[in-house]
Amino acid sequence: MAPQLRTLETGEWDTWYRTLERAFGGPPTPPEARELWQSLTEHDRSLGAWEGAGDECVGTAGAFSLRLSVPGSAVVDTAGVTMVSVAATHRRRGLLTTMMRRQLDDIRGRGEPLAALVASEPGIYGRFGYGMATQQLSATVDTARVRLEVPAGTGADAVRLRYADPVSALPACEAVYAEAVAERPGMPARRPGWDRVAVLAPQGGRDGGSPLLCVVAERDGVTVGYARFHNTPQWDVSGARGTIVLRDLEARDPGAYASLWRFLFEIDLTSTLVAQNRPVDDAWQHLVSDVRRCARQLRDGLFVRLVDVGTALESRTYRTEVDVVLEVEDPFCPWNEGRWRLSGDHRGASCTRTAAPADVALPVGALASAYLGGVPLTALARAGRAGELGRGTLARASLAFGNETAPWLPHSF
């Protein structure tokens, strides 16, 4: 008998979550993080696959009710797909496909035009219409040999830095974060309770590092930026060579931004700065004396799924004027299939069904990759994932879909 798929009932969360932990391996989730994820879990959006007498959980899939920033500064209702797992004993039985089918139908029924997730394995979700829409930059900087040079006129020297308790400083830091959401697509507008994600102890421990440290930047008594990080001391025969691991950093202006990065570069008894998740266009890259010694790497970030193509494309604005007919292929969500006429500019857009000849043809996953402005349609075309049917239309549409800042997801969910 196939496992029974149903939403989570009261009292089942521990069993459901243990199934997830077992699938991912490693040590149990720390109590503080476990309590937070339990409090954030939306039971009516959490699916469990149950077997036997109904008490053995063999599959999990959840969703958070998020609001995601898109080009044009709007935030759009988004299903944050999360906690997806299938027990190793039940692989290759179609269980994941069944959960994805049920979940996308539910998301559509709730009127959410977008779904988004962070993939444990990038190859899994393309067949369900998800496309990689953001990337994240990591760097390991040799601060003993790389200087950070602050240009004159930024006002960095007028910024006061001070240590603050990470939890007590959350309201002031969250106000800075909220301003950043409107400026960069891909960032969740954090609902109540989600601010605690930023101050959780890292999964797997701190590897000998300090508890989370927080420095706030102030100008005239107003918080204009913050950095949260761990300091891992290390010594050898030549002396101190500690490592700073940056968790997150936001600032309201170039002066606050530069002052925080300069501080991180110059902390005593350290010679390495590790930044694990930063936007690909992060400005510190233009302030360092030797970018080669920053050991930069890129990896996938947020995967996006257009659940309602028309509403999703109308929910963002476009960098230049666009008038294009898109032929969308979407076998997993067939209500999206067909031709859509997208017309708009920086003020707004409309996207409606049409019988007009198509200008660009592409699968919904490719359209999702381009949606936040981080992946050019022209690049997708060169990869064979988008086809131009009307001369010149693809390049014009690609320009319109672009965005001034690179999209970025600052934390998982």
Side-chain angles (χ1 to χ4, degrees):
M1 179 180 294
Q4 178 191 5
L5 191 64
R6 56 177 168 80
T7 56
L8 200 58
E9 296 179 2
T10 302
E12 292 180 334
W13 189 88
D14 283 325
T15 301
W16 183 82
Y17 195 77
R18 281 197 299 270
T19 301
L20 176 73
E21 288 181 309
R22 183 180 59 199
F24 277 83
T29 305
E32 181 186 8
R34 189 182 184 90
E35 184 275 328
L36 175 59
W37 294 124
Q38 183 171 15
S39 70
L40 293 174
T41 297
E42 300 175 42
H43 281 57
D44 64 334
R45 306 201 68 166
S46 302
L47 296 173
W50 301 85
E51 199 170 58
D55 56 357
E56 181 185 356
C57 187
V58 296
T60 64
F64 295 120
S65 300
L66 303 181
R67 301 176 71 214
L68 197 72
S69 60
V70 300
S73 300
V75 289
V76 178
D77 289 339
T78 302
V81 176
T82 186
M83 300 183 184
V84 179
S85 73
V86 174
T89 53
H90 286 68
R91 295 177 67 244
R92 304 189 186 283
R93 301 188 190 182
L95 188 52
L96 177 61
T97 299
T98 300
M99 291 192 294
M100 292 293 101
R101 169 80 280 137
R102 170 80 170 267
Q103 189 177 66
L104 284 167
D105 289 341
D106 177 70
I107 293 167
R108 185 191 185 203
R110 292 171 182 266
E112 294 167 325
L114 298 176
L117 57 83
V118 178
S120 56
E121 296 180 80
I124 294 176
Y125 293 97
R127 66 183 186 269
F128 306 121
Y130 288 85
M132 184 187 71
T134 78
Q135 295 185 85
Q136 62 186 47
L137 171 72
S138 65
T140 301
V141 185
D142 180 357
T143 54
R145 304 179 72 172
V146 179
R147 301 183 312 279
L148 188 121
E149 300 169 348
V150 179
T154 62
D157 292 335
V159 175
R160 174 179 179 253
L161 301 181
R162 66 175 180 87
Y163 280 100
D165 174 69
V167 176
S168 299
L170 269 177
C173 294
E174 281 298 290
V176 176
Y177 174 88
E179 289 186 13
V181 169
E183 299 172 0
R184 188 178 292 278
M187 297 180 69
R190 293 201 279 241
R191 298 179 185 271
W194 278 92
D195 56 346
R196 292 172 56 198
V197 173
V199 295
L200 279 178
Q203 186 79 10
R206 301 189 299 266
D207 295 325
S210 69
L212 186 66
L213 301 171
C214 177
V215 163
V216 295
E218 297 175 331
R219 184 181 294 109
D220 300 326
V222 177
T223 300
V224 290
Y226 63 89
R228 290 186 281 242
F229 58 95
H230 300 278
N231 188 340
T232 302
Q234 291 175 292
W235 298 79
D236 60 21
V237 293
S238 61
R241 53 182 185 89
T243 298
I244 298 298
V245 178
L246 177 64
R247 285 274 294 272
D248 55 341
L249 183 154
E250 293 293 343
R252 284 178 163 142
D253 56 66
Y257 177 90
S259 68
L260 286 165
W261 278 100
R262 181 172 59 187
F263 164 79
L264 294 169
F265 267 67
E266 297 177 353
I267 293 176
D268 290 338
L269 307 179
T270 67
S271 58
T272 303
L273 170 60
V274 177
Q276 298 175 321
N277 177 14
R278 298 299 302 166
V280 297
D281 60 350
D282 213 5
W284 65 264
Q285 299 170 91
H286 306 290
L287 299 176
V288 294
S289 60
D290 188 347
V291 74
R292 291 184 186 177
R293 295 188 182 277
C294 296
R296 294 173 298 169
Q297 290 185 320
L298 291 179
R299 63 163 291 171
D300 55 282
L302 185 69
F303 285 73
V304 169
R305 212 285 181 209
L306 276 60
V307 181
D308 182 331
V309 165
T311 302
L313 294 179
E314 287 182 346
S315 297
R316 56 155 293 176
T317 62
Y318 296 85
R319 197 169 190 181
T320 59
E321 186 176 353
V322 62
D323 187 3
V324 63
V325 175
L326 303 171
E327 179 94 46
V328 178
E329 175 190 340
D330 191 355
F332 202 71
C333 294
W335 58 81
N336 284 325
E337 293 223 322
R339 297 175 188 171
W340 298 85
R341 181 165 192 166
L342 172 65
S343 302
D345 54 24
H346 66 280
R347 294 166 295 187
S350 67
C351 187
T352 57
R353 291 282 189 181
T354 183
D359 299 311
V360 176
L362 73 177
V364 73
L367 184 58
S369 291
Y371 180 72
L372 293 179
V375 180
L377 285 170
T378 49
L380 293 166
R382 288 193 295 272
R385 299 196 61 218
E388 182 177 52
L389 306 177
R391 185 175 177 83
T393 54
L394 190 139
R396 292 193 294 271
S398 184
L399 184 62
F401 269 80
N403 194 67
E404 183 177 348
T405 55
W408 174 56
L409 178 68
H411 60 81
S412 296
F413 49 79

